[in-house]
Amino acid sequence: MSDLYERARELDAKDQLAGVRGEFVLGEDVVYLDGNSLGALPANVPGRVDDVVRRQWGELLIRSWTESGWWTAPERIGDLIAPLVGAGGGQVVVGDSTSVNVFKALVGAVRLAGEGRDEILVDAATFPTDGYIAASAARMTGCSVRAVEPGEVRGALSSRTAAVLLNHVDYRSGRLHDLPSLTAAIRAAGAVSVWDLCHSAGALPVGLDAHGVDLAVGCTYKFLNGGPGSPAYLYVRREHQAAFDSPLPGWNSHAEPFGMRSEYEAADGVARGRVGTPDILSMLALEAALEVWSRPDVSVDAVRGKSLALTDFFLECVEAYVPGGRVEVVTPGAHGERGSQVALRCADAGEVMGRLIGAGVVGDFRAPDVLRFGFTPLYLSFADVERAAGVLARELG
């Protein structure tokens, strides 16, 4: 145990991202391993929100739509997220929730696919809301839905397939799916790809443009640290924007939003992914949170490298500390198949996680038997990881 304790200190001393921890509000008595559910508070956000509330809203009032850039925030902040998911500018718009954006993307995907295609494939292990939305989108578009494992997508594709909705990282197990090859297979079959990036954006490279992804959605309150309920985003590949037909044509996506015309005409570009009035307070808190990515020592590649090192070290500590047979590692060991979390199967997982949180190690529990630990490299240290494994061993007896 003392060897791993010392090695954690050595790894922290060499960590190029160690200085970023000070950009976040974190208690010294807590190891926070739940950033894959809700990211920590960036230290600059409270001051920014105070300015938005007191000056921009309180003093400038309605003038802030233009003078403070409120109206252009969805596209401006989208351009900040774009490089984090491997997209060029003008293809990401921020707003609404992930669920709403899944609906827009999936219905839009079926409409892009065209006549004669009447089946939606959806990840069988998807986060529940994606499945619910897929079923609703299918009813609306006259399609059927078929749930398939990501590894079975290639065999399930056919001339009937309109759209395929997949999670980049499985939210329970932390398995990273092969976005490049799956996207290529979907495109070769003439279908439209829709990727859910909730558990990958801000944690690992995505490469939307490079790999030919058609549409993608994601939340911003996990690895992007935008805060509880911060707005989600929608990616529409540039070549599809002119034909993208949103099922929610709100006034904000109108070509002439203040013309108040009774007929709808979609705006040019990714702005047609907007719907109604943007949620400015949370959107501008997100904009402040994203400033950490402008630091010269912060890059997606650096974050991915540390993520893999942290999860490798955690798995090593678990193997060394936890009594044999007490937990089963669910997350794949191969780096190319692992997101930025570690899931451990444990019969009494719910009770164990409650004790862990009481002891200052915050992860989460997924029914029926999974302990889930998220690793956010921007603010986690190797000492945190070693300590968490030690507390886990103690609580497991």
Side-chain angles (χ1 to χ4, degrees):
M1 188 172 290
S2 61
D3 289 344
L4 290 171
Y5 177 88
E6 291 301 327
R7 191 142 66 83
R9 269 73 191 158
E10 293 170 3
L11 290 168
D12 282 332
K14 298 174 183 178
D15 177 18
Q16 72 178 80
L17 294 176
V20 185
R21 184 184 178 100
E23 301 280 351
F24 294 87
V25 178
L26 292 162
E28 292 299 324
D29 57 340
V30 172
V31 177
Y32 190 64
L33 298 177
D34 209 6
N36 54 334
S37 286
L38 176 64
L41 171 66
N44 66 327
V45 167
R48 183 65 55 81
V49 172
D50 184 74
D51 177 70
V52 172
V53 171
R54 295 181 185 277
R55 184 182 64 85
Q56 295 182 28
W57 179 15
E59 297 177 17
L60 296 179
L61 293 165
I62 201 168
R63 291 161 51 194
S64 275
W65 283 107
T66 53
E67 294 181 27
S68 300
W70 288 2
W71 185 259
T72 57
E75 292 87 1
R76 183 179 71 245
I77 301 172
D79 281 344
L80 295 178
I81 292 173
L84 306 184
V85 293
Q91 298 177 101
V92 178
V93 64
V94 174
D96 308 308
S97 68
T98 305
S99 299
V100 171
N101 282 314
V102 170
F103 180 70
K104 288 187 282 187
L106 202 50
V107 174
V110 172
R111 292 172 175 175
L112 284 170
E115 297 295 327
R117 293 181 176 269
D118 61 358
E119 184 177 67
I120 297 171
L121 301 183
V122 62
D123 188 337
T126 190
F127 189 77
T129 195
D130 285 15
Y132 307 155
I133 295 295
S136 178
R139 292 193 299 271
M140 181 176 182
T141 57
C143 288
S144 61
V145 176
R146 181 154 53 115
V148 296
E149 297 293 337
E152 299 171 353
V153 165
R154 293 173 184 81
L157 290 165
S158 74
S159 60
R160 290 185 53 202
T161 310
V164 183
L165 172 61
L166 295 170
N167 290 264
H168 195 193
V169 175
D170 186 289
Y171 80 101
R172 285 192 183 91
S173 69
R175 176 178 290 277
L176 173 64
H177 296 303
D178 190 349
L179 180 148
S181 69
L182 286 169
T183 300
I186 294 165
R187 174 161 289 204
V192 179
S193 58
V194 182
W195 284 92
D196 183 330
L197 309 177
C198 285
H199 287 270
S200 55
L204 51 90
V206 178
L208 294 179
D209 285 355
H211 301 308
V213 170
D214 297 308
L215 302 166
V217 302
C219 65
T220 62
Y221 49 77
K222 300 182 190 296
F223 295 109
L224 297 180
N225 307 297
S230 58
Y233 57 89
L234 169 68
Y235 165 86
V236 182
R237 190 172 185 83
R238 197 177 310 281
E239 68 190 69
H240 294 315
Q241 289 177 5
F244 180 71
D245 183 7
S246 172
L248 296 173
W251 77 285
N252 258 234
S253 64
H254 198 285
E256 191 182 346
F258 292 98
M260 303 304 168
R261 290 156 43 193
S262 57
E263 301 83 12
Y264 181 75
E265 179 186 350
D268 291 332
V270 78
R272 63 179 54 200
R274 294 173 65 154
V275 183
T277 305
D279 39 355
I280 290 298
L281 298 184
S282 57
M283 191 170 290
L284 298 187
L286 167 63
E287 184 174 31
L290 292 171
E291 287 180 3
V292 69
W293 293 94
S294 66
R295 287 178 53 125
D297 52 345
V298 175
S299 68
V300 174
D301 287 339
V303 165
R304 177 57 169 167
K306 184 177 176 182
S307 165
L308 292 171
L310 286 168
T311 49
D312 279 345
F313 189 58
F314 181 69
L315 289 168
E316 183 179 355
C317 290
V318 167
E319 183 178 5
Y321 294 172
V322 173
R326 192 66 173 86
V327 298
E328 174 193 353
V329 179
V330 178
T331 304
H335 285 181
E337 299 176 4
R338 187 195 310 165
S340 198
Q341 71 180 56
V342 170
L344 304 175
R345 182 165 286 122
C346 172
D348 51 346
E351 296 176 9
V352 171
M353 184 53 69
R355 295 200 301 271
L356 283 173
I357 293 172
V361 175
V362 180
D364 66 14
F365 160 67
R366 285 292 178 265
D369 57 1
V370 172
L371 298 169
R372 199 176 68 150
F373 302 96
F375 293 79
T376 306
L378 295 179
Y379 52 74
L380 277 179
S381 69
F382 290 89
D384 289 332
V385 168
E386 189 274 338
R387 175 184 164 192
V391 174
L392 174 64
R394 185 185 73 203
E395 296 302 328
L396 289 172

